[in-house]
Amino acid sequence: MAVDRDRAEAIVSEIRRKIKDAFDVFDHESNQTVDVREIGTIIRSLGCFPSEAELRELIDKIEDEEPTGYIHFEKFLPVMTKVLMERRFRPIPEEELLQAFENLDQDNKGYLEPEELTKYMTQEGEPFTQEEMDEMLSAAVDPEKNVIFYKDYVSMLSYDDSH
């Protein structure tokens, strides 16, 4: 049984190291705190993709009684360790993402115009902000053709779970 416990401790230790490394990238003052606005980016860099509502819920859980605009590592670590151990907020499988883009591409062209995608992403479901849309388009739009070849974009988005 000691082998199983050692293996479990090694897994937890590795998860905590990954969390610390991701957190440290945004700890610009090296004081074990980050701006609360960076938390979503940190969580996504760890392979978790919560909705905005789920992200807000996580932040509420992490923050002290009084929100200061900063998140302390010692509060972030246990919450994020639990999220990663439970494998919560996993990315949408590549096939589902591709199917979603294909549904938007009613003419089966194999691509979407930036304006089309912007309309869908800012007016439906949980709408993207202009900043999020600009960020997405900067990565998604083919610079030569000025369209989104979504098969290429989806394969670029796919999260490699082996890391």
Side-chain angles (χ1 to χ4, degrees), residues 74-91:
E74 74 269 5
K75 302 270 187 196
F76 182 70
L77 182 63
V79 172
M80 202 58 217
T81 300
K82 189 172 190 291
V83 165
L84 290 178
M85 293 294 289
E86 293 172 354
R87 300 179 62 79
R88 288 172 55 205
F89 312 126
R90 305 311 299 160

Side-chain angles (χ1 to χ4, degrees), residues 6-134:
D6 288 348
R7 188 170 173 334
E9 285 175 11
I11 290 168
V12 171
S13 177
E14 175 63 15
I15 285 173
R16 289 184 167 181
R17 186 193 59 73
K18 283 181 179 180
I19 294 168
K20 175 87 174 109
D21 290 348
F23 192 92
D24 285 351
V25 169
F26 294 93
D27 183 5
H28 304 300
E29 308 289 321
S30 298
N31 63 359
Q32 300 297 295
T33 63
V34 295
D35 187 305
V36 69
R37 294 170 296 188
E38 306 285 14
I39 290 297
T41 304
I42 294 169
I43 291 171
R44 284 187 288 277
S45 78
L46 291 164
C48 297
F49 301 90
S51 69
E52 283 304 311
E54 291 166 331
L55 180 59
R56 186 76 245 150
E57 212 172 278
L58 270 179
I59 290 171
D60 289 345
K61 193 180 292 183
I62 296 166
E63 281 184 320
D64 285 337
E65 300 75 52
E66 175 110 6
T68 61
Y70 293 93
I71 298 292
H72 295 274
F73 181 70
E74 74 269 5
K75 302 270 187 196
F76 182 70
L77 182 63
V79 172
M80 202 58 217
T81 300
K82 189 172 190 291
V83 165
L84 290 178
M85 293 294 289
E86 293 172 354
R87 300 179 62 79
R88 288 172 55 205
F89 312 126
R90 305 311 299 160
I92 296 169
E94 188 173 342
E95 306 76 53
E96 276 183 51
L97 210 45
L98 189 54
Q99 190 175 13
F101 276 103
E102 287 170 346
N103 287 338
L104 298 177
D105 178 16
Q106 310 229 322
D107 300 330
N108 270 343
K109 303 177 298 234
Y111 64 86
L112 293 170
E113 303 285 337
E115 302 74 29
E116 283 178 283
L117 189 58
T118 299
K119 183 178 146 250
Y120 291 123
M121 301 303 288
T122 58
Q123 295 174 6
E124 305 289 326
E126 192 175 300
F128 275 43
T129 64
Q130 188 57 52
E131 186 180 335
E132 290 168 327
M133 207 57 233
D134 292 345

